[in-house]
Amino acid sequence: MPPHPVTPHSGYFVAFSAAVCMLLTPIASHAADLTVIVNNVQQDDGQIMLGLFNGSDSFPKTISQSAATPAKERNTAGQVLLIIRGLSPGQYAASSYHDLDGNSKLSTNKMGVPTEPYGFSNNARGMFGPPSFKDASITIGNEDLTIEIAVK
């Protein structure tokens, strides 16, 4: 007996077509947006800077992504909103500072202590320097995430 022919009306054709479609359909990458509300912005001068770090090896030296907005964008509660789009799922840490003097870096005194307001995700603080990546880490999944950082 000859094999069953594959016709548009046979179950074989439907199953074969579904398998081909699944192979040819690109897998959607899940990318999430991180919205950061920076609290305690006290004045309109300068910019609010945001840095995102994608691992303990880079934290807090090498920024993987960043955003900035003028401090004058603050609302009446002293909040500024920044968004980093299209993040892959994983562990990250964020830092923010109010660049009052406009030099695009966190200014420090002669001892290396910051002279501009700054903060980290989870409002983590270190004793004699930045907090650990673990203390500041946040988890980005497949859904958008909103966090708050208070600069002090």
Side-chain angles (χ1 to χ4, degrees):
M1 179 174 193
H4 184 66
V6 176
T7 65
H9 302 294
S10 72
Y12 295 115
F13 181 80
V14 173
F16 177 76
S17 296
V20 169
C21 286
M22 286 183 359
L23 290 173
L24 296 178
T25 303
I27 297 173
S29 64
H30 295 285
D33 295 344
L34 174 64
T35 300
V36 179
I37 301 167
V38 179
N39 294 309
N40 203 34
V41 178
Q42 299 292 313
Q43 53 186 296
D44 290 345
D45 296 336
Q47 295 213 62
I48 304 301
M49 311 294 276
L50 174 68
L52 192 66
F53 306 86
N54 62 1
S56 60
D57 293 340
S58 67
F59 183 75
K61 306 255 188 266
T62 307
I63 295 172
S64 62
Q65 293 194 39
S66 63
T69 193
K72 66 183 176 184
E73 296 294 323
R74 71 188 174 119
N75 64 19
T76 57
Q79 298 175 318
V80 173
L81 187 81
L82 296 116
I83 301 173
I84 295 180
R85 300 191 186 281
L87 294 172
S88 298
Q91 291 293 117
Y92 296 87
S95 69
S96 184
Y97 68 95
H98 188 165
D99 184 21
L100 293 165
D101 58 14
N103 66 355
S104 298
K105 64 180 184 177
L106 179 63
S107 297
T108 60
N109 64 19
K110 291 180 183 183
M111 295 179 54
V113 176
T115 57
E116 295 174 311
Y118 68 96
F120 294 91
S121 43
N122 298 326
N123 290 317
R125 289 279 184 188
M127 291 296 277
F128 298 103
S132 68
F133 179 80
K134 179 182 174 189
D135 289 346
S137 70
I138 56 174
T139 301
I140 303 290
N142 295 325
E143 303 292 324
D144 294 346
L145 178 66
T146 300
I147 65 168
E148 295 188 32
I149 296 176
V151 293
K152 300 176 185 179

